[in-house]
Amino acid sequence: MTSIRRDAVVAADGPVVALRFEHGALWAIDQTALPWRETELELRRAADVASAIERLSIRGAPLIGVAAAYGVALELAHDPEGLERATAILRGARPTAVNLAHAVDRVGAAVRRAAPGEAATAALAEAHALHADEAAASAELARHGADYLGSGAARRVLTHCNTGALAAPGRGTALAVIAELAQRSQLELVIAAETRPLLQGARLTVYELRRLGIEHELVVDGAAAGLIAAGEVDAVVVGCDRVAANGDVANKVGTYSHALAAVAAGIPFVVAGPTSTIDPGCPSGTAIAIEQRAADEVSRVRSGAAGETYELTLPGTRCRNPAFDVTPASLVTALVSEHGVVEPAAGDSVLSLLG
Amino acid sequence: MTSIRRDAVVAADGPVVALRFEHGALWAIDQTALPWRETELELRRAADVASAIERLSIRGAPLIGVAAAYGVALELAHDPEGLERATAILRGARPTAVNLAHAVDRVGAAVRRAAPGEAATAALAEAHALHADEAAASAELARHGADYLGSGAARRVLTHCNTGALAAPGRGTALAVIAELAQRSQLELVIAAETRPLLQGARLTVYELRRLGIEHELVVDGAAAGLIAAGEVDAVVVGCDRVAANGDVANKVGTYSHALAAVAAGIPFVVAGPTSTIDPGCPSGTAIAIEQRAADEVSRVRSGAAGETYELTLPGTRCRNPAFDVTPASLVTALVSEHGVVEPAAGDSVLSLLG
């Protein structure tokens, strides 16, 4: 894996392009270096892609799926017999995001349908198709979400983690809804929760909102519930990493407490995600494997262009670091997808979105 | 204000002494430098004490109260007519902690009762008496809290912020209850929430638990609710900065979401604080002024012995930084004080503790 440093684009306007396939390689913005430095990683093998996903250079459930699809194609271009190996390497990169498994399976099926000698070509075509499908889903999802929220009084929206163009092809998921509200002049303010431990809110959401020219404020995660209770927030809108068949939602750690606070305050808790994040094979949240990540994500923090990390506690402190939590369907006011909106808390089935 | 650097005591055992009055000065551990460095501040005027409180070198509602009492005494030793000025300076240091106002008023009353020429002596005697009272309250509170929790199965306790000897004279409040449970062999594990923005959990609670030899793990604030929902926590025990007459509790930002999660999971949410934190003049949480602190506490983080801070987001990002949030009485399973335990969620009046 090669990394190529480009000029910083912090001052640039407009949406970010998180992934592009060019000259036989997948080029991915190294999200661990944002907002201080824009570096593109040049990925040429499935293991490169898996490693970029593991270390969160590529993140966001839908973006991980597309990257993994390209990962299969890259491996087959190198070794036409490499499907099994590529699948295994990529599936193991992150256990919670179901899109990854979906994407790898979709490309695998295309490869098996392909004529002899056409495996790599078929895989790449399928990866491109998935990429295009996800970008189209983002646009549709944004429209449905803005219709749903805009009909109310969602002028101050709180969000968690990063769910923009850095997380999903197109404009993203929850942040795409927010951007659409802003475009319709139905948005006053975005309150971004910083999203410890890796600060995707402080680093990535703030970066995207700055580029999009959308008014925003940053808060620590623990401040969200109090602001919601105090009437400072009109709606919470977040993404999702996996939605179980019963409507339970796994998303970035810290999401569940925002949902509790929203429901206690009587404001909508809205989850935005393409239908590829729905896992009909997973009956409920208790069946979702929650990825446990390294302790030093909690005990240290990364800052600045040098990418250095700094200690936040005594050396040797034991840390527990679940990457996700589960919000029960009963707290999910709405699930917004490219196929429309359902209301799990009101008893709607999320499976109806799969048609 | 002079600061004197002492040897680091990170490896030392036993409780910390956060404040001591000696040689005509108040000596306070500079809590902003922990756990990397133990520095004592030498405070000789009310303004020194107020400044140390404002910058959180001295923190924790009961400790702030005692420090402010000494602040009045220090000012009167310098200027026997200085009561009004000292009172004004100290009362303005932090608006949410009611102990500060209580303490200043208590010393003021003693001064007004004093014989002519005895103002400074009377003030210092009253400050010492308050200090002793709070230390005694800590011991009683710990006993009541451990009786209450130990009768159940509170073996894994989650706590927020710092509530040990660094926050209150004696062994502290919530952390005193936890230490008492440990001494009774009724504790398995403390889960400490890091407590952004200033990381009192990661810096101070971990430091105290290490010194006390109590098993602990550190988590980000957003992980608490998910761990509670997953059955990993048997009770939440926190301190308080102000308790309203109706039982609503103001405490460090991030507390409210732990309470929501605890109640949703059916585990006790226990608040520990001396009766000096109860404000009978404050009818409910909505009447509590929530201190708003500087944006750079959110946008930057402090690390290491050099006391340097590091950027977590794009420069110029607007941040909102409420220092506290309010947990409604309906979520407070128990309020533990030196006079015993009441159950606000079950309808008990917290004012009965003032008896």
Side-chain angles (χ1 to χ4, degrees):
Chain A
M1 173 162 58
T2 317
S3 80
I4 299 203
R5 183 167 167 170
R6 296 200 307 191
D7 293 341
V9 292
V10 169
D13 284 335
V16 186
V17 177
L19 281 186
R20 58 192 178 90
F21 194 90
E22 222 174 280
H23 306 307
L26 181 64
W27 300 81
I29 290 180
D30 180 359
Q31 299 194 28
T32 66
L34 289 175
W36 296 284
R37 172 168 53 98
E38 181 171 317
T39 306
E40 275 199 321
L41 304 174
E42 181 185 349
L43 310 170
R44 294 197 167 267
R45 300 289 296 265
D48 295 345
V49 176
S51 152
I53 291 171
E54 272 163 27
R55 62 187 291 273
L56 305 188
S57 294
I58 302 171
R59 46 154 292 286
L63 201 72
I64 286 172
V66 172
Y70 282 120
V72 175
L74 286 166
E75 195 65 19
L76 293 182
H78 190 86
D79 169 14
E81 305 299 315
L83 181 62
E84 295 295 317
R85 190 180 57 251
T87 301
I89 290 171
L90 289 158
R91 267 179 167 271
R94 295 201 75 191
T96 305
V98 69
N99 312 58
L100 198 158
H102 276 173
V104 168
D105 290 349
R106 177 171 160 174
V107 176
V111 168
R112 285 186 205 93
R113 284 194 307 270
E118 295 296 317
T121 312
L124 184 58
E126 197 66 21
H128 280 312
L130 176 67
H131 197 171
D133 288 352
E134 290 285 9
S138 166
E140 281 302 288
L141 180 158
R143 193 170 59 77
H144 288 303
D147 287 350
Y148 182 83
L149 282 164
S151 59
R155 309 201 69 85
R156 298 162 304 168
V157 173
L158 186 135
T159 191
H160 193 67
C161 198
N162 170 266
T163 57
L166 291 166
R171 288 197 290 174
T173 58
L175 216 58
V177 173
I178 287 168
E180 179 70 20
L181 285 170
Q183 222 159 36
R184 297 182 184 184
S185 304
Q186 291 176 330
L187 187 81
E188 205 174 274
L189 178 68
V190 180
I191 299 176
E194 64 175 6
T195 316
R196 276 278 290 152
L198 295 175
L199 298 163
Q200 291 92 340
R203 295 189 300 105
L204 309 179
T205 298
V206 160
Y207 172 80
E208 290 204 50
L209 291 169
R210 172 94 54 106
R211 288 179 62 137
L212 294 169
I214 295 174
E215 282 290 306
H216 58 279
E217 285 181 359
L218 181 65
V219 298
V220 299
D221 302 322
L227 290 173
I228 291 167
E232 300 284 325
V233 178
D234 299 308
V236 176
V237 186
V238 300
C240 50
D241 288 79
R242 187 185 296 219
V243 179
N246 74 339
D248 292 351
V249 172
N251 191 45
K252 177 60 53 201
V253 72
T255 300
Y256 170 53
S257 64
H258 302 330
L260 285 168
V263 170
I267 65 167
F269 177 77
V270 175
V271 176
T275 51
S276 57
T277 49
I278 300 174
D279 184 3
C282 174
S284 77
T286 52
I288 299 177
I290 299 295
E291 178 186 358
Q292 304 291 324
R293 294 184 58 87
D296 66 359
E297 291 182 352
V298 175
S299 64
R300 302 180 71 86
V301 74
R302 177 191 291 255
S303 170
E308 280 175 26
T309 62
Y310 302 96
E311 289 186 350
L312 301 180
T313 189
L314 286 178
T317 298
R318 204 163 75 221
C319 303
R320 208 182 313 189
N321 187 18
F324 302 95
D325 61 24
V326 173
T327 299
S330 59
L331 302 180
V332 179
T333 314
L335 175 66
V336 175
S337 79
E338 75 276 22
H339 295 154
V341 179
V342 295
E343 299 189 326
D348 288 356
S349 164
V350 299
L351 299 181
S352 65
L353 291 172
L354 300 178
Chain B
M1 173 163 57
T2 318
S3 80
I4 299 201
R5 181 165 169 174
R6 295 200 309 190
D7 292 340
V9 292
V10 169
D13 283 335
V16 186
V17 177
L19 280 186
R20 58 193 178 88
F21 193 91
E22 222 174 281
H23 306 307
L26 181 64
W27 301 79
I29 290 179
D30 181 358
Q31 299 192 28
T32 65
L34 289 175
W36 297 284
R37 172 167 55 98
E38 182 170 318
T39 306
E40 275 200 321
L41 304 174
E42 180 184 350
L43 310 170
R44 293 196 168 268
R45 298 292 296 267
D48 295 345
V49 176
S51 153
I53 291 170
E54 272 162 28
R55 61 187 292 273
L56 305 187
S57 294
I58 302 170
R59 45 155 293 284
L63 201 72
I64 286 173
V66 171
Y70 282 120
V72 176
L74 286 167
E75 195 66 18
L76 292 181
H78 191 85
D79 168 14
E81 305 300 314
L83 182 62
E84 295 295 318
R85 190 179 57 252
T87 301
I89 290 171
L90 288 158
R91 266 179 168 273
R94 295 202 74 190
T96 305
V98 69
N99 312 58
L100 198 160
H102 277 172
V104 168
D105 290 349
R106 177 171 160 174
V107 176
V111 168
R112 286 186 204 94
R113 285 193 309 267
E118 295 297 318
T121 311
L124 185 57
E126 197 66 22
H128 280 312
L130 175 67
H131 197 170
D133 288 353
E134 290 285 9
S138 167
E140 281 302 288
L141 179 158
R143 192 170 59 76
H144 288 302
D147 287 350
Y148 182 82
L149 282 165
S151 58
R155 310 201 69 85
R156 298 163 304 168
V157 173
L158 185 137
T159 191
H160 194 66
C161 198
N162 171 266
T163 57
L166 291 167
R171 287 197 290 173
T173 59
L175 216 57
V177 173
I178 287 169
E180 179 70 21
L181 285 170
Q183 221 159 36
R184 297 181 184 185
S185 304
Q186 290 175 332
L187 188 81
E188 205 174 275
L189 177 69
V190 180
I191 298 175
E194 65 174 5
T195 316
R196 276 277 290 153
L198 294 175
L199 298 163
Q200 291 93 340
R203 294 190 301 105
L204 308 179
T205 297
V206 160
Y207 173 80
E208 290 205 49
L209 290 170
R210 172 95 55 110
R211 287 179 64 136
L212 294 169
I214 295 174
E215 282 289 306
H216 58 280
E217 285 181 358
L218 180 65
V219 297
V220 299
D221 302 323
L227 291 173
I228 291 167
E232 299 284 324
V233 177
D234 299 308
V236 176
V237 186
V238 299
C240 51
D241 288 81
R242 186 185 296 220
V243 179
N246 75 338
D248 291 352
V249 172
N251 191 46
K252 178 58 57 200
V253 72
T255 300
Y256 170 52
S257 64
H258 302 330
L260 285 167
V263 170
I267 65 167
F269 177 78
V270 175
V271 177
T275 52
S276 57
T277 49
I278 300 174
D279 183 3
C282 174
S284 77
T286 52
I288 299 177
I290 299 295
E291 178 186 359
Q292 304 291 324
R293 296 184 56 88
D296 66 0
E297 291 182 353
V298 175
S299 64
R300 302 179 71 85
V301 75
R302 177 191 291 257
S303 169
E308 280 174 28
T309 62
Y310 302 95
E311 289 185 351
L312 302 180
T313 188
L314 285 179
T317 298
R318 206 163 77 221
C319 303
R320 209 184 308 190
N321 186 19
F324 303 95
D325 61 25
V326 173
T327 299
S330 59
L331 302 181
V332 179
T333 315
L335 176 65
V336 175
S337 79
E338 75 277 23
H339 295 154
V341 179
V342 294
E343 298 188 326
D348 289 356
S349 164
V350 299
L351 299 180
S352 64
L353 291 172
L354 300 176

